[in-house]
Amino acid sequence: MEVTARAPGKIILSGEHGVVHGSTAVASSIGLYTSVTIHFPSQNENDGNLKLRLRDLSLEFSWSISHIQECLKESNKADCLKPSAPAAYLSNLQALVEEQHIPEAKFGLASGIKAFLWLYTCIQGYGFPVCLLLDPLSLILAEFLQLVSLFIRYKPATVSVSSELPMSSGLGSSAAYCVALSAAFLSFSSATKLDVGKQGWQEFEDDELKLLNGWAFEGEKIIHGKPSGIDNTASTYGNMIKFKSGNLTPFTSSLPLRMLITNTKVGRNTKALVAGVSERTKRHYEAMACVFSAVDSISTELSEIIKAPAPNDIAITEFEEKIEELMEMNQGLLQCMGVSHASIETVLRTTLKYKLTSKLTGAGGGGCVITLLPTCILELIFFIWIHFNLYHYLPFSLNPPSNGEKLSHFDR
Ligand SMILES: Nc1ncnc2c1ncn2[C@@H]1O[C@H](COP(=O)(O)OP(=O)(O)OP(=O)(O)O)[C@@H](O)[C@H]1O
Ligand SMILES: C[C@@](O)(CCO)CC(=O)[O-]
Ligand SMILES: [Mg+2]
């Protein structure tokens, strides 16, 4: 028995970091995916283990189900239903992660493996929405579930992950990983309504997406510490979104926007960068509040411009210039927040030579930079020809993806 789920990465057009502090941000999913296949062994294949295979890294981690059961026996399994993973449960999972031999150079994987174990044990255990306990009536249910949890047995499984997204580069690899994992696990949870009975890739209804997004957000919290939720929301819902304080407004662009993504290949860690901005905010509260307010205005204006009726051929340059100006202003504010990097500045200077505007995307500190490619195709060809050997390009289009590519999907 097997299911595959895939979820897209994203770019942030405006508002990263500010969105953690309540500003509006604008993001779009991109056509690069993380895929997760969960395979439950037949009786003959069953070796009693839970395995995580990271195909791109040629790594495999394995735990016996009885050992997981033993390690979590002290945990209150109803903890899985709380809006955030409790420390006691997480420290038991940490012990399970630490006994694996993670190569030193790949130490960042530890948080991803912990998120995997959290999502697997919780969704396998219950599969209820994490927000369930916010409803007072369900407190009674929690008592009952605590009793039931004594009888929960996790199923042995092999979970394989592969991704087209560069890891730790600002394209939402952690969110795509959490969305695809949650989708695959939920499709086998008897407690959920996700219907994977039909053949082929599928799309889901709003309440199902909400459930999936809620679980993916829990995974992101384990990897990021304090995520805003924009990355998992862009990956779950697809297309373009405006996002503020947990609220999503989906919209589409009236015109195709072409962006070039340049990967500086400088590794960084979103959790550390987000923490750095929070520290700066504590030191300079008034000044940073003004920065976040400016970010909010820029993102709001950007979303209005993008969704406005398509301009005619003459007005198209004006349309692109407005977007470029807002991207430039946003990049300036990201520099104020301290999340740019010498490698990012090099890309900015290089693209500027060809009158092209760029900004960092995602958490910054290295990672990826986006450049708006105006309709002038000659300039575009020239730019790619000049710099093809210097950077790794991941081209994509902001046209709304076709139906079949909208969201995380399931395939039985
Ligand atoms: N395919 C994957 N397999 C295993 N772990 C992954 C995978 N993709 C992401 N991760 C986890 O996510 C971490 C990277 O997340 P991080 O948030 O730092 O970068 P990002 O999501 O690529 O960038 P951003 O958050 O700026 O968009 C990795 O160190 C790992 O723990
Ligand atoms: C840096 C950040 O704003 C975006 C990372 O893609 C973090 C977040 O919103 O969770
Ligand atoms: Mg991330």
Side-chain angles (χ1 to χ4, degrees), residues 180-221:
L181 280 175
S182 305
F185 298 161
L186 283 169
S187 68
F188 277 112
S189 165
S190 53
T192 64
K193 288 179 282 174
L194 291 188
D195 171 16
V196 291
K198 295 171 225 147
Q199 290 295 315
W201 295 109
Q202 286 177 62
E203 291 173 22
F204 291 90
E205 300 301 323
D206 246 17
D207 55 345
E208 294 167 316
L209 294 177
K210 202 170 160 196
L211 172 68
L212 170 61
N213 201 27
W215 278 111
F217 186 46
E218 291 309 303
E220 273 277 84
K221 280 187 199 162

Side-chain angles (χ1 to χ4, degrees), residues 10 12 16-17 34-35 52-57 61 106-115 161-178 181 220 223-224 231 268-274 361-364:
K10 60 86 210 155
I12 297 187
E16 50 276 269
H17 288 290
T34 293
S35 299
L52 173 64
R53 281 191 187 139
L54 304 181
R55 290 174 171 234
D56 311 296
L57 303 173
F61 305 98
K106 306 255 181 298
F107 204 68
L109 284 178
S111 59
I113 299 171
K114 201 184 334 179
V161 182
S162 59
S163 185
E164 298 161 348
L165 292 160
M167 216 186 280
S168 305
S169 301
L171 298 186
S173 72
S174 60
Y177 168 75
C178 291
L181 280 175
E220 273 277 84
I223 297 173
H224 274 204
D231 293 1
R268 38 24 114 246
N269 165 309
T270 301
K271 185 175 184 174
L273 287 151
V274 168
T361 190

Side-chain angles (χ1 to χ4, degrees), residues 70-120:
E70 180 63 22
C71 277
L72 295 181
K73 80 169 190 283
E74 300 294 318
S75 300
N76 177 350
K77 295 207 188 73
D79 279 354
C80 285
L81 299 174
K82 294 187 177 148
S84 282
Y89 198 103
L90 285 181
S91 70
N92 287 333
L93 293 183
Q94 183 67 26
L96 288 168
V97 175
E98 277 168 12
E99 67 195 37
Q100 299 289 319
H101 300 291
I102 303 171
E104 210 169 310
K106 306 255 181 298
F107 204 68
L109 284 178
S111 59
I113 299 171
K114 201 184 334 179
F116 159 78
L117 286 169
W118 161 259
L119 292 171
Y120 189 78

Side-chain angles (χ1 to χ4, degrees), residues 125-335:
Y126 295 106
F128 285 96
V130 274
C131 56
L132 190 71
L133 286 192
L134 297 181
D135 169 3
L137 280 179
S138 52
L139 287 172
I140 302 162
L141 184 62
E143 290 300 316
F144 169 70
L145 287 172
Q146 178 53 26
L147 205 70
V148 170
S149 71
L150 295 174
F151 303 99
I152 285 174
R153 284 205 65 79
Y154 308 117
K155 280 193 224 152
T158 300
V159 179
S160 307
V161 182
S162 59
S163 185
E164 298 161 348
L165 292 160
M167 216 186 280
S168 305
S169 301
L171 298 186
S173 72
S174 60
Y177 168 75
C178 291
V179 173
L181 280 175
S182 305
F185 298 161
L186 283 169
S187 68
F188 277 112
S189 165
S190 53
T192 64
K193 288 179 282 174
L194 291 188
D195 171 16
V196 291
K198 295 171 225 147
Q199 290 295 315
W201 295 109
Q202 286 177 62
E203 291 173 22
F204 291 90
E205 300 301 323
D206 246 17
D207 55 345
E208 294 167 316
L209 294 177
K210 202 170 160 196
L211 172 68
L212 170 61
N213 201 27
W215 278 111
F217 186 46
E218 291 309 303
E220 273 277 84
K221 280 187 199 162
I222 292 173
I223 297 173
H224 274 204
K226 197 195 164 202
S228 64
I230 188 170
D231 293 1
N232 50 278
T233 304
S235 181
T236 301
Y237 289 83
N239 289 323
M240 294 189 85
I241 59 165
K242 188 166 92 165
F243 190 88
K244 184 182 168 101
S245 307
N247 295 315
L248 145 87
T249 315
F251 69 100
T252 45
S253 172
S254 58
L255 277 177
L257 277 178
R258 281 164 308 148
M259 294 276 176
L260 182 72
I261 303 177
T262 304
N263 189 349
T264 64
K265 301 259 181 106
V266 173
R268 38 24 114 246
N269 165 309
T270 301
K271 185 175 184 174
L273 287 151
V274 168
V277 174
S278 295
E279 288 302 315
R280 188 171 279 207
T281 307
K282 275 189 213 145
R283 287 194 298 275
H284 311 285
Y285 184 77
E286 297 290 326
M288 290 295 276
C290 296
V291 171
F292 297 140
S293 154
V295 169
D296 186 68
S297 306
I298 289 170
S299 302
T300 307
E301 196 180 334
L302 185 70
S303 67
E304 293 304 320
I305 292 170
I306 293 176
K307 70 183 183 201
N312 59 30
D313 283 355
I314 302 161
I316 214 162
T317 312
E318 202 184 317
F319 166 82
E320 287 169 349
E321 280 171 3
K322 279 188 199 160
I323 294 175
E324 285 177 335
E325 192 166 28
L326 290 168
M327 282 171 65
E328 191 183 311
M329 287 160 72
N330 190 195
Q331 173 62 30
L333 295 170
L334 288 160
Q335 280 155 353

